[in-house]
Amino acid sequence: MNRSAWVIKEHGAVGSPRLEELALEALQEGFVRITLKCMALNHLDLWTTRGLPGIRLPLPVIPGSDGSGVIVEIGSHHPLPFGLGLGSGVMIAPGLSCGFCFECQSGNDMLCKSYKVMGHHTNGTASTTIDVPIQNVLPIPSGWTFEEAAAFPLVYLTAWEMLMEKAHLGFGETVLIWGGSSGVSTAAIQLVKMVGAKSIVVVGDDQKAVKCWDLGATHVLNRNRENILERVKEITANKGVDIVFEHTGPATWTTSMMACRRGGRIVTCGSTTGPDVSLNLRSLFARQISILGSYMGKRSNFAKLLACVESGSINAPFRPTIDKVFDFKDYPAAQQYLEAGQHFGKVICRVSNSSVIN
Ligand SMILES: [Zn+2]
C-alpha cells in the first residue's frame, strides 16, 4: 500500500514541494489511520517550505497542519475520544506532545518540551493518508463539510488561546485585529463577537471589509485609506483598545503599541512581516502594557470550541471561512496563492472527492 504526499526534501521557494509515492508502514499502537478528504494551508506551510533562519527542521517533511478525513484503521485497544470509530469523519488536532510530563499532565501540552506541530516538525496533512495519535482526532460538527472541518483546528485553537487564555478577553472590551482577512483573524472576529466584546478590524480593501462586517466585526478600517491610530482613538474616545490581536510584526507593531490603552494587552502569534520589532521600554512600563506570546493552544480547548460551535447563534456564527478550494495536485499553486495574500479566510486542498459528510 502506498500514499501520495507532497514532500519538502530541502528548503526552497514557496511552491517547491514535490509529489511523491511513499510506502505505508504498519499502523502503530495508539494511532488511527485517516484517509484525508481535505487539508487546509497555513502560513506555517510557507515557513516550513522556505525554512526559518536559526531553526533546524527535520527533513524530508510533509507539510500541512490541518486536515479532515475518514478513519480507515484503528491501532488501539482503547476507545477513541468523542465516541468516534471506524468510518467516522474527523478533523485533526495539529499538536503532538509526550502526554506524560508536568506540562502535559497540567493540560498545557503546547508547553511540553517535545511539543511538535504536524506538517512542521513531523509529517503533516499534504498527503492522501496520515496516521495520528488517537487523542488527535476530533468529531466534525453536524452539517459541516470536510472543507470546513479542515479549515477549523489550527486557526480556531490559536485564536482561542490568544484571546481567552492569554489576553483574558472580557465582555464589552475592544480588540484591534490586524489582517482581518487571514484565517486566524476571521476566527478572532467570531470569538470576539461571541463573548460580547467589540472588534476594530483592519483590512486592505473594501471587498474584504464587507466580508468582515458579515463575520460580525464591529468596526472595519481600510489601512490604505485611513489612519489606523487616529481612527482607533476616535472610536475609543482617546482611550485605546483593551487588546491588540497581533500576528504581522514590524509592519504594525508601533501602531499596536500606540493603539493599546494604559494597562492593555498585546497578544501575538506570528510575524508575517518579519521577526524583529523595536520596542520603547519607557512606553511599555509607563503605560503598563502586557505583551503576550502565544503559540498554538491547549488541545483540551477543542472541547470548548466544539461546544461554541454547537451553541452558536445567527447573531454570532462560529464557522470557518473558506476562500478557495484547490485540487490536491495543485498544492504548490495553493501555497503561492496563500503567499500572494489576496485570500479571505482559509485556502483548502481537496485531497479526495466527496466533500459532504453523512
Ligand atoms: Zn509533555
Side-chain angles (χ1 to χ4, degrees):
M1 282 277 283
N2 281 356
R3 63 169 170 160
S4 303
W6 289 96
V7 180
I8 301 167
K9 282 198 163 154
E10 52 189 41
H11 296 303
V14 163
S16 62
R18 296 291 182 88
L19 190 62
E20 294 198 1
E21 287 292 306
L22 305 172
L24 273 177
E25 290 167 10
L27 185 64
Q28 289 178 55
E29 168 65 27
F31 281 65
V32 293
R33 180 157 291 171
I34 296 165
T35 296
L36 282 147
K37 293 284 189 186
C38 291
M39 60 86 58
L41 284 84
N42 291 284
H43 271 277
L44 197 57
D45 294 47
L46 311 186
W47 293 332
T48 308
T49 303
R50 284 195 212 104
L52 289 160
I55 296 175
R56 204 160 149 258
L57 296 172
L59 295 178
V61 70
I62 300 167
S65 307
D66 274 323
S68 61
V70 173
I71 296 176
V72 292
E73 193 180 341
I74 299 171
S76 170
H77 300 296
H78 302 287
L80 300 186
F82 302 102
L84 295 165
L86 214 54
S88 294
V90 291
M91 47 192 186
I92 299 168
L96 303 165
S97 65
C98 80
F100 302 105
C101 73
F102 175 80
E103 299 294 0
C104 285
Q105 291 289 317
S106 318
N108 294 312
D109 48 297
M110 76 293 184
L111 296 178
C112 174
K113 266 188 174 175
S114 58
Y115 189 76
K116 291 183 174 69
V117 180
M118 282 180 214
H120 188 58
H121 306 105
T122 66
N123 285 333
T125 55
S127 173
T128 51
T129 302
I130 190 169
D131 296 349
V132 303
I134 61 170
Q135 62 268 28
N136 283 66
V137 290
L138 303 162
I140 298 177
S142 57
W144 281 24
T145 61
F146 279 111
E147 280 93 348
E148 289 172 311
F152 185 75
L154 191 144
V155 291
Y156 279 81
L157 185 70
T158 300
W160 181 282
E161 182 70 26
M162 291 171 75
L163 291 171
M164 313 303 276
E165 297 278 349
K166 297 286 175 14
H168 299 291
L169 170 63
F171 179 82
E173 289 196 308
T174 302
V175 186
L176 174 63
I177 300 175
W178 289 107
S181 55
S182 72
V184 72
S185 290
T186 54
I189 293 168
Q190 294 178 7
L191 262 171
V192 168
K193 171 140 196 190
M194 189 195 69
V195 304
K198 289 169 276 188
S199 57
I200 302 173
V201 184
V202 182
V203 291
D205 69 58
D206 291 341
Q207 247 182 337
K208 289 177 175 176
V210 171
K211 290 177 180 173
C212 289
W213 288 114
D214 290 345
L215 282 179
T218 319
H219 304 272
V220 186
L221 308 180
N222 184 331
R223 66 171 184 272
N224 293 318
R225 233 188 18 229
E226 296 177 274
N227 181 318
I228 302 304
L229 188 56
E230 290 305 315
R231 292 285 289 123
V232 166
K233 282 183 184 170
E234 250 175 65
I235 292 165
T236 61
N238 275 325
K239 185 179 136 203
V241 293
D242 302 290
I243 297 169
V244 182
F245 188 86
E246 252 288 350
H247 50 96
T248 44
T252 52
W253 188 259
T254 305
T255 309
S256 293
M257 283 292 291
M258 304 285 286
C260 192
R261 73 159 165 85
R262 281 174 180 270
R265 303 83 96 190
I266 300 175
V267 60
T268 179
C269 73
S271 52
T272 47
T273 61
D276 299 314
V277 295
S278 72
L279 182 63
N280 184 316
L281 278 179
R282 202 175 300 131
S283 177
L284 180 79
F285 66 71
R287 296 171 55 227
Q288 303 177 59
I289 290 171
S290 302
I291 297 175
L292 305 157
S294 198
Y295 183 67
M296 305 295 285
K298 298 179 176 76
R299 194 174 53 231
S300 60
N301 280 333
F302 275 117
K304 293 179 189 169
L305 280 161
L306 289 167
C308 291
V309 171
E310 296 301 331
S311 62
S313 68
I314 292 167
N315 290 333
F318 207 70
R319 198 162 180 155
T321 309
I322 310 281
D323 176 83
K324 189 167 178 177
V325 182
F326 286 82
D327 277 338
F328 184 61
K329 66 177 171 48
D330 298 323
Y331 174 74
Q335 276 202 346
Q336 287 159 346
Y337 178 75
L338 183 67
E339 186 184 39
Q342 296 307 305
H343 57 287
F344 186 92
K346 298 295 289 177
V347 178
I348 307 289
C349 277
R350 191 177 290 134
V351 183
S352 60
N353 284 330
S354 166
S355 59
V356 180
I357 299 157
N358 293 322

